[in-house]
Amino acid sequence: MKRFETRSLWRAGCVALALILAPVQVLANKVALIIGNSAYEHTSPLKNPRNDAEAMASKFRTLGFETIEGYDLTATEMAQMTREFARSVSGTEISVVFYAGHAIQVDGENYLIPVDARMDDELSIDFEAFPISMITRQLSRTDGANLLILDACRDNPFEQLTLGSSRSIGGGGLGKMDVRDNGTGTGIVFATAPGTVALDGEGDHSPFTEALLKHIGTPNTPITTVISNVTGEVYNATGEKQRPWFNQSYTAPVELYKTAALPAPDVSAGATAPATAPADGAAALEEEKYMFELARGSGYIEDYQAYLDFYPNGRYARFARIAIERLKTEAAEEESVKVAVALPETTKDVESRSVALPAYDPTTPLILSVTQQMLLAPANQTTEQALNMDRSTRRALQARLNATGNNVGRPDGSFGPKTRAGIAAWQASVGLPQTQFLNSMQFDLLVSQTEATYASFLNVPAASSGSGSKRKTSSGNNNIGNNIVKGISEGFGRAFGDKVFGN
């Protein structure tokens, strides 16, 4: 199924979020256009571009970007998205474009390939391919900083295409691109050097996107440094076969993720007093409280440890250490359950299973129960994003909700209002708070309840339509503002908005 998705954050939600996060995160007017094309109809499909684009969109939202997203787009849909992006970039501080999919170069000019392109003859280049220059022109509409990221330097998918004597098509990779010197400047990043071919990767992401996801969210770090780190990681990960290429004209350091400076921890010998600012004790105490509340709200060991790094002898240090020990214990217990569930069904060593999980019967599905820890653990957009669910996992989750009797429609891997309502209904049925989002413990509980039945709900035939079109267009709705306010009330600012399209 093709999908044309747009996400816009309510201004009121952004203002409220900025007020709460002011001590830590510096918000900016930032927008990102994300396109991932995998399901090509007339040439070889690609495994990773859609996965890459969805992961990058999620990453940019956590960095405070408004995202305009599209997956498996036709030429018409790519033009529509680019037009919407052009209307959004005016006045932005930072504008980013990320594309993953097929692309070609003809006479040194680069073209992105929509999923419906046939590329049967020379005319196809002008009428079916999408020139990258169309996107770079839109970037010139802003005086802010621009960044174009292309994970598209793969083999030429249209080797059968023959051109006239006056034109030539590149055999692999993209052609070098110059940057436009407008505003703060523009940066262009290729997954590999011009004229060379990048790897699609054996895992869920290409080596280039894998490195981007790891480094692009580094706070208070110029993008030039980030791309250098990405380049080094890709070069090493591919056995020195692939070296990303970066060209930029920035007139000042450009940081995608800015955070306000926090006070450094007191590391002097024998320090015993709480870390406070001598000139403004009240402000320092507020900052300390904010960091602890942020950790308590997220429930992450790393956040509690970050608090302790800054305030090793702070007012809440004892509670932070207790929380870390509790979370480590819970993680160990969850891991033992996962190990037990993952044991092969064909094994005859029942005793080894009973050691890991005494109550587990290998002949029947494991059914977990709601615990006190599960009732108290936060379940929100941040905890759900931490599950790192790919499209197939999200489809399976929707099928599991259907298996519980909470109908969310045909499983398509896109979480919209129906899926959120189904999650809330399931949470209510088992006595959990109705947050509409899952955490790892709730996910395991749902899996355990539906393992024996969900498969029959997974491949539900799609309803026929009058036009026969496979494409589906959706845009943001009013639930976005509600989700933002929900996230604010729970003390989180890591993620911006929810996927409010699809089921």
Side-chain angles (χ1 to χ4, degrees):
M1 175 183 292
K2 297 183 179 69
R3 184 166 297 279
F4 177 24
E5 300 149 1
T6 300
R7 195 155 317 166
S8 299
L9 301 179
W10 279 14
R11 298 297 181 187
C14 289
V15 171
L17 191 59
L19 292 175
I20 286 186
L21 297 183
V24 173
Q25 183 174 337
V26 178
L27 297 180
N29 184 15
K30 304 183 290 189
V31 62
L33 171 62
I34 312 290
I35 299 176
N37 286 345
S38 285
Y40 285 91
E41 300 171 5
H42 307 292
T43 189
S44 57
L46 295 171
K47 173 187 174 184
N48 284 328
R50 176 160 185 151
N51 294 337
D52 293 343
E54 288 181 337
M56 289 300 298
S58 177
K59 188 68 175 181
F60 276 113
R61 288 195 298 276
T62 67
L63 302 182
F65 280 77
E66 174 186 342
T67 59
I68 300 172
E69 306 169 37
Y71 306 104
D72 296 330
L73 301 183
T74 65
T76 300
E77 290 169 340
M78 289 182 69
Q80 290 173 343
M81 288 201 64
T82 303
R83 174 179 293 183
E84 181 171 353
F85 176 70
R87 291 169 175 165
S88 301
V89 298
S90 178
T92 56
E93 181 178 335
I94 304 176
S95 301
V96 174
V97 176
F98 175 88
Y99 173 82
H102 277 312
I104 60 173
Q105 61 162 311
V106 178
D107 294 336
E109 184 172 357
N110 297 318
Y111 295 84
L112 308 180
I113 306 300
V115 295
D116 62 340
R118 291 182 177 274
M119 306 299 287
D120 293 328
D121 52 36
E122 185 173 353
L123 290 176
S124 301
I125 296 172
D126 295 324
F127 293 98
E128 296 178 10
F130 193 85
I132 294 179
S133 59
M134 176 72 75
I135 293 177
T136 57
R137 280 199 298 272
Q138 313 318 314
L139 291 174
S140 66
R141 295 175 178 273
T142 174
D143 291 331
N146 301 312
L147 180 64
L148 175 61
I149 305 173
L150 298 172
D151 192 357
C153 311
R154 297 169 173 85
D155 286 322
N156 173 22
F158 301 103
E159 295 180 353
Q160 79 284 358
L161 180 62
T162 57
L163 305 180
S165 59
S166 62
R167 307 186 76 178
S168 62
I169 184 170
L174 297 178
K176 184 177 179 180
M177 293 176 60
D178 294 325
V179 296
R180 293 175 178 267
D181 295 320
N182 59 291
T184 306
T186 299
I188 300 176
V189 188
F190 285 179
T192 191
T196 62
V197 177
L199 304 176
D200 196 36
E202 298 298 329
D204 291 335
H205 301 297
S206 72
F208 176 65
T209 295
E210 193 75 48
L212 271 178
L213 291 169
K214 180 177 179 180
H215 292 286
I216 205 163
T218 307
N220 304 321
T221 303
I223 190 61
T224 50
T225 301
V226 170
I227 299 303
S228 294
N229 293 334
V230 169
T231 298
E233 182 156 325
V234 173
Y235 189 64
N236 293 328
T238 58
E240 302 182 358
K241 297 178 181 178
Q242 180 176 335
R243 184 195 294 268
W245 178 87
F246 181 40
N247 189 17
Q248 55 89 18
S249 63
Y250 295 133
T251 58
V254 176
E255 299 171 356
L256 296 181
Y257 184 44
K258 295 180 181 179
T259 60
L262 291 170
D266 184 359
V267 296
S268 60
T272 57
T276 59
D280 189 1
L285 289 176
E286 273 303 307
E287 289 176 349
E288 180 188 351
K289 180 180 179 182
Y290 177 83
M291 285 196 69
F292 179 75
E293 291 294 338
L294 190 67
R296 187 169 67 171
S298 73
Y300 291 145
I301 292 176
E302 295 80 2
D303 290 344
Y304 279 113
Q305 189 57 55
Y307 164 81
L308 289 174
D309 290 342
F310 280 98
Y311 305 102
N313 301 292
R315 293 192 300 170
Y316 311 103
R318 176 173 174 271
F319 300 104
R321 292 186 176 94
I322 291 174
I324 288 174
E325 290 304 315
R326 174 177 57 81
L327 291 170
K328 287 181 178 179
T329 300
E330 292 176 2
E333 292 174 351
E334 286 188 34
E335 187 61 29
S336 67
V337 171
K338 291 179 180 179
V339 169
V341 174
L343 287 173
E345 291 298 325
T346 57
T347 182
K348 297 180 180 179
D349 191 1
V350 178
E351 292 183 0
S352 65
R353 292 189 178 202
S354 63
V355 171
L357 191 65
Y360 183 66
D361 179 356
T363 64
T364 61
L366 171 67
I367 304 297
L368 302 179
S369 59
V370 177
T371 64
Q372 185 68 17
Q373 290 86 350
M374 194 181 298
L375 288 170
L376 297 177
N380 48 52
Q381 186 169 343
T382 301
T383 62
E384 188 171 285
Q385 286 181 339
L387 297 176
N388 291 320
M389 292 184 287
D390 58 18
R391 181 179 176 83
S392 61
T393 304
R394 293 194 299 271
R395 288 186 66 245
L397 191 145
Q398 290 172 320
R400 292 178 187 278
L401 289 170
N402 286 339
T404 64
N406 299 292
N407 183 21
V408 301
R410 185 172 63 86
D412 60 3
S414 297
F415 286 7
K418 292 180 68 176
T419 299
R420 292 298 167 203
I423 292 174
W426 171 77
Q427 289 171 327
S429 70
V430 296
L432 292 169
Q434 301 174 50
T435 67
Q436 300 187 358
F437 294 92
L438 300 174
N439 57 32
S440 60
M441 288 185 285
Q442 292 185 14
F443 181 86
D444 290 342
L445 176 64
L446 178 58
V447 168
S448 77
Q449 291 179 340
T450 57
E451 189 63 20
T453 57
Y454 89 96
S456 61
F457 292 84
L458 189 57
N459 296 313
V460 179
S464 61
S465 63
S467 64
S469 173
K470 296 180 181 179
R471 291 184 292 278
K472 192 173 182 180
T473 303
S474 300
S475 60
N477 65 22
N478 292 347
N479 285 342
I480 297 176
N482 297 332
N483 288 337
I484 293 174
V485 174
K486 178 192 293 288
I488 292 171
S489 65
E490 292 174 346
F492 298 104
R494 298 182 177 184
F496 285 65
D498 177 39
K499 288 187 177 180
V500 293
F501 48 85
N503 291 330

